Amino acid sequence: MKRPFSVSLLSKLREAFGEAADFEAVCIGELNGREVYLCYLSTLIGSDHFRFQIEWMERPELDTVLESFSGSKFTSGTFAACERSVCSGKTVLCLSDSAAGIILETGHTQSSGVHSPQTENVIRGPMYAFNENYQTNAALLRQRLKTSRLKIWESTVGDISRTKVGVFYMEGITDAGLVRQFCEKIAAIRIDGIQDTGELLKLLNSNAGLYLYPVALSSERPDRAAAALLNGKVVVILDGTPFSLIAPAAFVDFWHSDEDHYLSPFVAFFLRGLRFTALVVNLFLPAYYVALTSVNVDINRLEISLAAAASREGVPYPVFIETMLMLFILDFIVEAGVRLPKSISSTVTMVGGVVLGQAVIQANIVSNLLVIVAATTAITNFIVVDYQMGLIQRILKYFMLTGAGIAGVLGIVICFACLVIVLSRIESFGVSFLTPLGPGARNRSKAINAGGSPHRYSLRSLVYSWKERRPKT
């Protein structure tokens, strides 16, 4: 009785990768009269995994024989598993007529080496950062936390991209409900492909589009991720991007730097106070300038009002339009400095700032006092530690400025109240965004009384708040 005809694995792979120029199916010899093939993508594999030898055949010809394979592991699989493996940089060893093949680990991922952080300046601490390779990033965390309590849950996201994602947490420190929530949400994602952790965060948090503030920290520093793990947080690493996600996050976390833990407590307190002062100045200084020079003029002393009026002599625009125009020009210069090549960005921004600043004053488009206000606002915007929060601050100053232009100081108060209400309604994976400022103060004392460390109060209060808020099962 004849066996039913079935298409071989080799034929299916050749058909699937028919128009892929980098796909190769190389015959390396014969086994019991059947040809043996290696199938791979030449752009993804490393050439140092195989060793071949040349042997004489019975005929006066040479034959190439696979002598040995060096790799981490190998498995077997049918067409679906072999197709995914070839796309991941692995090699499939199969016979010409077999329906399954042996999958060999031969991947050589293309990524940049371990280098210094590009978006987080390191003043004191480790001088290396995550890169685009998932295995490298996991190894960097393992090197900093040499314990079996560091656990990793892995999955793939994207029906086409099949991007590897890992959830890192500390057993016995991280709340089990928080880990389960992350794992369930990642497993439920249905999307064609994903490129960065910022996109993953939107998929994990269904309400991310409704909130202006980010609900998770983004960092490329392994020491920051390791510190977060030790304090009961979850770190999510995505293959193909050097930026990790740290959650849950509170508002004050975006203003704390890793160097604060390496410095004297007095110095760290001073630097944090400086950052929050810059936050207040960035939000309210332009708005108060508009309110006190156009709407609530009677609040000022007579000398201040006269000085402001003298500086605006000859300016044809109202104060609100004048301030808005100046802030827009500064944002244009900042964005140009970010997008231009590094070799010319500093020159362009410096020349643009000096020339435009001098020109607008001489042309009586803006007042001298406004230039000081706008420059101070721009400087305070760069004190922020987290880049995402810096972008939010650039937007919110226009919101406060609009309120000041409509109702003066009352408008500033109303806008600030709306901002606090919005912040109080934001949750980062079950934890209130303002936890260390509100309920965290109560939970801090509970954590310390239970034996917690005082210098870790805010992070412990986050975990405590999560246990209170998560639904009972």
Side-chain angles (χ1 to χ4, degrees):
M1 182 177 179
K2 294 183 179 181
R3 295 181 179 179
F5 176 77
S6 60
V7 182
S8 65
L9 173 64
L10 178 62
S11 301
K12 291 182 179 179
L13 290 176
R14 282 176 169 171
E15 181 181 359
F17 296 96
E19 297 182 2
D22 56 345
F23 175 75
E24 296 185 12
V26 181
C27 178
I28 60 171
E30 293 185 357
L31 180 64
N32 298 328
R34 302 158 70 187
E35 294 179 335
V36 181
Y37 283 86
L38 286 178
C39 304
Y40 56 87
L41 294 176
S42 59
T43 54
L44 293 181
I45 71 162
S47 59
D48 55 344
H49 292 277
F50 298 104
R51 286 191 291 272
F52 295 91
Q53 64 179 4
I54 298 177
E55 293 183 352
W56 286 98
M57 301 178 63
E58 296 180 357
R59 302 182 299 274
E61 298 178 0
L62 295 176
D63 188 21
T64 303
V65 179
L66 177 63
E67 179 183 3
S68 62
F69 160 73
S70 59
S72 58
K73 60 182 178 180
F74 61 90
T75 57
S76 62
T78 56
F79 169 71
C82 290
E83 181 193 15
R84 290 193 298 268
S85 301
V86 170
C87 292
S88 300
K90 301 176 183 179
T91 298
V92 174
L93 177 66
C94 63
L95 299 174
S96 58
D97 57 349
S98 62
I102 299 175
I103 302 171
L104 307 176
E105 291 280 357
T106 58
H108 181 67
T109 306
Q110 304 296 327
S111 62
S112 59
V114 178
H115 48 69
S116 300
Q118 300 297 313
T119 60
E120 299 174 83
N121 291 330
V122 180
I123 301 175
R124 182 173 181 179
M127 301 298 293
Y128 58 87
F130 291 132
N131 64 6
E132 293 81 7
N133 191 325
Y134 174 85
Q135 299 295 338
T136 302
N137 296 340
L140 291 177
L141 279 180
R142 284 287 187 187
Q143 289 175 6
R144 300 200 67 84
L145 300 174
K146 301 178 179 67
T147 173
S148 61
R149 298 175 65 182
L150 176 58
K151 306 300 181 181
I152 308 174
W153 179 87
E154 294 182 346
S155 181
T156 56
V157 177
D159 297 333
I160 297 177
S161 66
R162 294 166 183 154
T163 307
K164 192 173 185 178
V165 58
V167 177
F168 293 71
Y169 63 96
M170 293 294 293
E171 185 181 30
I173 298 179
T174 308
D175 185 77
L178 177 62
V179 177
R180 183 170 60 252
Q181 181 189 21
F182 267 91
C183 297
E184 291 175 353
K185 287 189 174 184
I186 292 176
I189 292 177
R190 296 293 179 268
I191 193 173
D192 290 339
I194 190 170
Q195 305 299 324
D196 189 73
T197 50
E199 187 178 359
L200 178 63
L201 179 60
K202 295 179 182 179
L203 298 172
L204 291 176
N205 187 15
S206 58
N207 297 325
L210 303 178
Y211 299 137
L212 185 63
Y213 285 92
V215 294
L217 289 166
S218 178
S219 178
E220 57 175 334
R221 295 183 57 172
D223 59 331
R224 190 175 190 181
L229 289 172
L230 291 174
N231 288 297
K233 295 192 177 186
V234 168
V235 174
V236 180
I237 293 180
L238 187 70
D239 190 23
T241 176
F243 295 97
S244 62
L245 283 180
I246 301 175
F251 179 76
V252 295
D253 292 337
F254 292 89
W255 300 88
H256 289 179
S257 175
D258 294 314
E259 284 80 9
D260 296 344
H261 301 288
Y262 310 146
L263 300 173
S264 167
F266 301 101
V267 177
F269 180 79
F270 171 75
L271 293 177
R272 291 177 182 177
L274 212 61
R275 297 187 197 114
F276 282 104
T277 302
L279 164 65
V280 174
V281 171
N282 184 266
L283 276 180
F284 295 104
L285 184 59
Y288 268 108
Y289 171 78
V290 172
L292 298 181
T293 56
S294 63
V295 181
N296 304 103
V297 184
D298 53 333
I299 297 179
N300 295 330
R301 294 181 58 183
L302 179 60
E303 294 82 358
I304 298 178
S305 299
L306 291 176
S311 67
R312 296 197 69 255
E313 185 177 359
V315 178
Y317 304 109
V319 178
F320 177 76
I321 301 299
E322 174 193 14
T323 307
M324 190 72 73
L325 178 63
M326 193 63 191
L327 292 179
F328 268 123
I329 291 175
L330 283 175
D331 277 335
F332 290 154
I333 296 175
V334 171
E335 195 64 19
V338 173
R339 305 302 170 188
L340 285 173
K342 292 182 179 180
S343 58
I344 62 174
S345 61
S346 58
T347 303
V348 171
T349 53
M350 181 182 65
V351 173
V354 173
V355 172
L356 283 177
Q358 187 66 25
V360 295
I361 293 176
Q362 292 181 352
N364 287 331
I365 298 177
V366 299
S367 63
N368 297 330
L369 184 58
L370 177 59
V371 173
I372 299 174
V373 171
T376 305
T377 304
I379 292 174
T380 54
N381 188 79
F382 299 134
I383 298 181
V384 63
V385 176
D386 189 84
Y387 176 72
Q388 301 177 91
M389 190 60 68
L391 295 177
I392 304 304
Q393 293 302 119
R394 288 169 60 181
I395 297 175
L396 289 179
K397 67 174 182 285
Y398 293 107
F399 174 66
M400 305 296 292
L401 185 64
T402 304
I406 295 175
V409 177
L410 179 61
I412 297 176
V413 174
I414 294 175
C415 290
F416 179 69
C418 294
L419 183 62
V420 173
I421 292 173
V422 170
L423 285 173
S424 64
R425 293 180 61 85
I426 298 177
E427 287 191 353
S428 175
F429 300 96
V431 177
S432 175
F433 206 53
L434 297 179
T435 295
L437 301 181
R442 181 184 68 252
N443 298 336
R444 173 180 60 199
S445 61
K446 293 182 179 179
I448 295 176
N449 292 335
S453 178
H455 69 278
R456 295 169 58 185
Y457 69 90
S458 61
L459 301 175
R460 286 185 177 272
S461 65
L462 285 174
V463 179
Y464 188 88
S465 177
W466 163 256
K467 292 181 179 180
E468 286 187 335
R469 290 175 176 269
R470 67 187 179 96
K472 304 296 183 181
T473 57

